[in-house]
Amino acid sequence: MKSGFPHEKTDWDLYYKRLNPLAGITKSIIRRRLLYFIRKYFRGKKNFSVLEFGGGNSCFYEEIRREFEPSAYWVLDNNPVGLAELEDRAGKDKKLRLLKRDILDPAPIPPEVGQQDLSFSVGLIEHFSMEDTQKAIIAHFNVLDKG
């Protein structure tokens, strides 16, 4: 038996089609905190690379892209609806790179992704059992540049 709270698997298509009305408020708070920490730890640094796990239809992409001008902004998500929505919003941004993949996929991240300077997720790991949460957290560290 897996530990963690019992829950049904999240229907991500439905999630993107019917956003929770409170999501805007919580995402605004989280966006401010996330940007604060990026400013703190990447102060003055440009051209660092980012990987957002579970970032289909990211509400952080535009602001991070505008303020920090990362060399690459990868979004890894297993949901084609969310990825398509972000791709539509981003237009022809060549620095945005989308990867349809499950964070729990045990296969190595493809080599073209490379090592990232920053990896993060928001509102993702709470959807997993304790064992899968541990795997998801490890995935965040596995993509980071060792320096």
Side-chain angles (χ1 to χ4, degrees), residues 5-122:
F5 63 91
H7 62 286
E8 291 182 28
K9 188 171 179 160
T10 302
D11 181 340
W12 290 106
D13 288 346
L14 183 61
Y15 172 85
Y16 287 118
K17 290 174 184 165
R18 262 193 298 170
L19 290 177
N20 184 315
L22 296 177
I25 296 167
T26 58
K27 286 180 181 179
S28 175
I29 294 166
I30 294 166
R31 183 183 306 109
R32 280 196 309 272
R33 297 302 298 164
L34 177 63
L35 292 172
Y36 166 80
F37 284 111
I38 295 173
R39 287 181 197 114
K40 181 176 177 178
Y41 292 106
F42 289 88
R43 183 173 305 154
K45 185 175 181 184
K46 296 283 183 183
N47 292 319
F48 59 90
S49 58
V50 176
L51 192 155
E52 181 178 351
F53 285 100
N57 202 23
S58 172
C59 65
F60 309 104
Y61 159 74
E62 283 91 355
E63 204 156 345
I64 290 172
R65 177 77 172 86
R66 183 175 41 257
E67 183 171 341
F68 302 103
E69 302 172 16
S71 58
Y73 194 108
W74 285 91
V75 173
L76 183 148
D77 199 303
N78 68 354
N79 184 268
V81 173
L83 290 170
E85 288 183 14
L86 178 57
E87 186 174 41
D88 288 346
R89 278 197 350 256
K92 298 181 189 283
D93 181 1
K94 294 191 182 331
K95 294 187 177 186
L96 177 64
R97 297 171 185 152
L98 305 176
L99 183 61
K100 184 183 176 300
R101 183 182 169 124
D102 190 319
I103 191 172
L104 300 177
D105 185 342
I109 298 288
E112 67 268 19
V113 176
Q115 297 294 289
Q116 304 299 307
D117 296 303
L118 170 66
S119 70
F120 73 94
S121 63
V122 174

